[in-house]
Amino acid sequence: MFRLSCCLKRRCSISSKCSKILGNSFNTYIRPSTMTVQQQNRNGSNLSMLNINPAVIAVEYAVRGPIVIKASEIEQELIEGVKKPFDRVIKANIGDCHAMGQKPITFIRQVIAACTYPPLIDQNIFPADVKERSKEILSSINGSTGCYSASSGLDIVRKHVASFIEKRDGYPCDAKNIIITNGASSSVKLLLELFPNDELKTGVMIPIPQYPLYSATVDEFCMQQVGYYLNEEKNWGLDITELKRSLDEAKKTCTPRLLCVINPGNPTGQVLSYDNIKEIIQFAKDEGLFLLADEVYQDNIYDEGCEFHSFKKVLHDMGSIDDFQMASFHSCSKGFMGECGLRGGYVEVLGLSDDVHYQLNKLQSAQLGSNVTGQIAMDCIVNPPKEGEPSYELFMKEKTAVLSSLKARAEVVFNALNKIEGVSCNPLSGAMYAFPQIHLPEKAINKAKSLKQEPDFFYCLALLEQTGICVVPGSGFRQKQDSYHFRMTILPPMEELEIFLEKFKQFHDNFMKEYQD
């Protein structure tokens, strides 16, 4: 009852918050009902905006928000022949690799094809190691991907995930601690669902700027967002003093129980150093916080001086493994694979008692487990072809090409953005995004506020309508007050990315001239 009542009390503030962020586009989500209040009251069993779960209204997901909806409408208008100052929409709003033109990794798709349609295995289409892998997987699911897997995932896949983690970190990994999920996003929800909402709500510490999955899920579960600011002046660094400030402030209104860290960062692209990770673990340990380590971009490291260190490895190095609770996430959606649509991922959970672990597995059982095709994709990623096997050379060639191209594109975007007056961008050390700051004139800020829009929303909407470029306003990721950003992916092919950057520069220069004080 408390969860529901706490949400109802927040209803007015929720609507106000959404209106402020979305501006006039708020009606894209919440359209006035054609029924009168009296009619709705008479038909109280009918779902309406008066009786919908208010936690749903609180949920925001800017990556697919009103700017993106508008982009889709413009695409349809172009198809219908409506004249625009551009001939197509360039969607740089979401980390969807294949939608941006990246080709699938051959080995992954061959194994999936063979498992999905087993008669292909005997037709001499695939290399020997693909056939062997497919038969091995099929033997564990009664010969068909149409079968349910065990709730926590196929045993063979969990075994291979454990071996992958052992090889990566140099420490043992128990497959019993692993659950295969429909992407990392469902892993996050699975973990958050374990935590209670008492008289003081559960607080979840999330980085600002943050990936909207976290704020959306925290709102969905009627928990409390506890934002801690990344330091833009230090390449989006994570300062322990800021974690402490945020935690102490949050204790006045909630019970902070979880600390989320995204490494490499989304949308900010920073890569945490080994020593910084040690500090974060020690902070979480000292404060009794459950650590959520979002590590889905662990393959996406571009700066020569940067290296990915898993939180689990550092935890082991510190000798703190026995008395620390954490979960780490990985996914087949990012990295060099980009298999977003297959929805494969896993979570490794450490430090839970057997009783609590049983409850976690029970929650996953209620979902009947994750989709088998996504599990197969995850298996190919954590157990790729080995040197000497027929598929190894092509696999390594494709993997290297993707990561090398992403690194080149990260450098091009960083250099191009920082040459534009009124734009500043930190190095893109990892992940797949740039999160530049736009230094808007006061006249533009006032114009946006007169329209009841966030200034960066106003800017990004104008960018879309004038150039066809679709990016996400920084306000959708949260940001420091009176600072304005946008997130863009580095995923478009290089030739398209160069067009993007040139069109963006022209737009920005014209925008600044139009609104100069």
Side-chain angles (χ1 to χ4, degrees):
M1 288 299 294
F2 175 76
R3 173 175 290 189
L4 180 59
S5 64
C6 81
C7 291
L8 290 172
K9 289 176 183 177
R10 297 170 60 217
R11 185 171 194 161
C12 294
S13 61
I14 287 167
S15 298
S16 174
K17 178 180 71 172
C18 292
S19 295
K20 183 177 180 182
I21 291 174
L22 301 178
N24 292 342
S25 60
F26 185 52
N27 287 333
T28 303
Y29 287 112
I30 303 178
R31 301 186 185 277
S33 173
T34 56
M35 296 174 68
T36 67
V37 173
Q38 290 79 9
Q39 287 174 317
Q40 290 174 340
N41 288 339
R42 283 199 301 269
N43 297 285
S45 61
N46 291 336
L47 195 62
S48 74
M49 289 306 298
L50 291 181
N51 60 21
I52 192 174
N53 180 354
V56 173
I57 300 174
V59 171
E60 300 165 12
Y61 193 70
V63 173
R64 295 180 183 268
I67 294 284
V68 183
I69 293 172
K70 181 66 175 177
S72 297
E73 292 173 356
I74 291 174
E75 280 186 315
Q76 185 59 40
E77 289 174 354
L78 288 170
I79 292 172
E80 294 170 356
V82 177
K83 296 299 180 183
K84 303 282 183 183
F86 48 87
D87 58 4
R88 62 195 174 98
V89 172
I90 301 175
K91 287 188 175 180
N93 61 292
I94 195 168
D96 191 344
C97 306
H98 293 179
M100 292 288 102
Q102 181 176 313
K103 301 300 181 185
I105 300 297
T106 301
F107 178 75
I108 297 174
R109 289 304 182 89
Q110 286 180 333
V111 172
I112 289 173
C115 287
T116 304
Y117 190 62
L120 292 175
I121 296 174
D122 299 323
Q123 294 186 19
N124 290 323
I125 298 174
F126 303 125
D129 54 343
V130 170
K131 294 180 181 180
E132 183 179 346
R133 175 69 61 85
S134 305
K135 290 177 180 179
E136 184 182 29
I137 293 171
L138 287 168
S139 69
S140 70
I141 49 175
N142 201 32
S144 173
T145 56
C147 296
Y148 284 126
S149 76
S151 298
S152 55
L154 296 170
D155 287 343
I156 187 173
V157 179
R158 296 168 72 205
K159 175 185 174 183
H160 289 157
V161 169
S163 297
F164 164 80
I165 294 172
E166 285 186 2
K167 182 177 179 181
R168 183 194 67 189
D169 296 341
Y171 290 104
C173 178
D174 189 343
K176 293 179 181 178
N177 292 330
I178 292 164
I179 298 177
I180 312 299
T181 57
N182 288 323
S185 299
S186 59
S187 296
V188 172
K189 289 193 172 189
L190 184 67
L191 262 296
L192 288 185
E193 198 166 354
L194 287 176
F195 289 84
N197 266 320
D198 304 319
E199 194 64 28
L200 281 178
K201 289 183 294 181
T202 288
V204 184
M205 300 186 69
I206 56 178
I208 305 298
Q210 56 95 34
Y211 176 46
L213 163 70
Y214 293 98
S215 58
T217 307
V218 168
D219 279 342
E220 180 183 350
F221 291 165
C222 285
M223 296 176 171
Q224 183 164 314
Q225 298 178 38
V226 179
Y228 62 88
Y229 289 107
L230 301 176
N231 191 334
E232 188 169 10
E233 287 69 40
K234 295 183 179 179
N235 293 335
W236 298 113
L238 201 167
D239 296 332
I240 301 302
T241 53
E242 169 59 14
L243 285 180
K244 183 64 175 173
R245 179 209 64 77
S246 174
L247 181 71
D248 290 343
E249 184 67 24
K251 287 178 179 178
K252 300 174 184 177
T253 57
C254 69
T255 304
R257 288 190 171 101
L258 300 101
L259 169 62
C260 171
V261 182
I262 307 174
N263 180 47
N266 176 11
T268 45
Q270 83 283 5
V271 179
L272 297 179
S273 70
Y274 182 91
D275 288 340
N276 200 187
I277 293 174
K278 285 180 64 176
E279 291 178 319
I280 295 164
I281 291 173
Q282 191 61 52
F283 173 82
K285 184 176 182 181
D286 292 343
E287 300 293 345
L289 297 171
F290 191 105
L291 180 65
L292 302 177
D294 184 331
E295 299 175 334
V296 302
Y297 295 98
Q298 59 189 260
D299 289 308
N300 300 101
I301 309 291
Y302 310 125
D303 276 2
E304 297 297 335
C306 293
E307 182 181 355
F308 171 75
H309 304 281
S310 78
F311 273 82
K312 182 186 177 184
K313 171 181 166 46
V314 177
L315 180 67
H316 269 287
D317 289 349
M318 295 170 65
S320 302
I321 192 71
D322 293 329
D323 59 349
F324 191 80
Q325 293 185 330
M326 66 167 284
S328 56
F329 312 103
H330 197 13
S331 167
C332 70
S333 298
K334 311 303 177 186
F336 60 92
M337 310 78 67
E339 293 285 7
C340 300
L342 295 182
R343 309 310 302 137
Y346 72 76
V347 57
E348 182 186 14
V349 187
L350 303 177
L352 298 185
S353 67
D354 290 343
D355 289 345
V356 175
H357 213 115
Y358 171 80
Q359 299 301 323
L360 177 66
N361 286 327
K362 182 178 70 175
L363 283 177
Q364 178 67 3
S365 297
Q367 307 301 318
L368 298 177
S370 59
N371 79 87
V372 171
T373 305
Q375 294 191 53
I376 295 171
M378 204 70 236
D379 188 77
C380 294
I381 292 158
V382 298
N383 187 28
K386 297 175 178 62
E387 189 170 3
E389 293 181 342
S391 298
Y392 176 79
E393 186 175 337
L394 178 59
F395 178 87
M396 291 304 299
K397 179 181 178 181
E398 292 176 337
K399 175 181 177 179
T400 301
V402 170
L403 294 176
S404 297
S405 177
L406 286 171
K407 179 179 179 180
R409 282 176 270 174
E411 292 174 355
V412 166
V413 169
F414 169 72
N415 291 328
L417 290 176
N418 283 299
K419 289 178 182 178
I420 301 173
E421 186 175 355
V423 178
S424 58
C425 184
N426 278 318
L428 283 60
S429 300
M432 297 176 171
Y433 315 98
F435 196 68
Q437 183 170 174
I438 42 177
H439 305 275
L440 299 177
E442 197 66 28
K443 185 177 177 181
I445 294 171
N446 291 336
K447 176 66 174 177
K449 291 180 177 178
S450 73
L451 298 172
K452 294 183 170 56
Q453 295 177 355
E454 289 292 331
D456 49 16
F457 179 95
F458 173 72
Y459 178 93
C460 292
L461 184 59
L463 175 65
L464 172 64
E465 292 177 336
Q466 294 178 33
T467 69
I469 291 175
C470 179
V471 296
V472 188
S475 49
F477 298 88
R478 311 292 192 268
Q479 56 198 344
K480 277 193 173 181
Q481 188 172 354
D482 299 325
S483 71
Y484 308 108
H485 303 77
F486 66 85
R487 190 190 80 161
M488 61 166 286
T489 72
I490 61 170
L491 294 175
M494 185 66 82
E495 60 274 13
E496 189 168 302
L497 198 57
E498 290 172 345
I499 295 171
F500 172 107
L501 292 166
E502 180 57 35
K503 292 177 72 172
F504 171 74
K505 182 181 184 307
Q506 292 174 2
F507 164 82
H508 181 81
D509 290 345
N510 292 335
F511 184 93
M512 297 296 279
K513 288 177 183 177
E514 180 180 356
Y515 290 101
Q516 63 185 352
D517 297 328

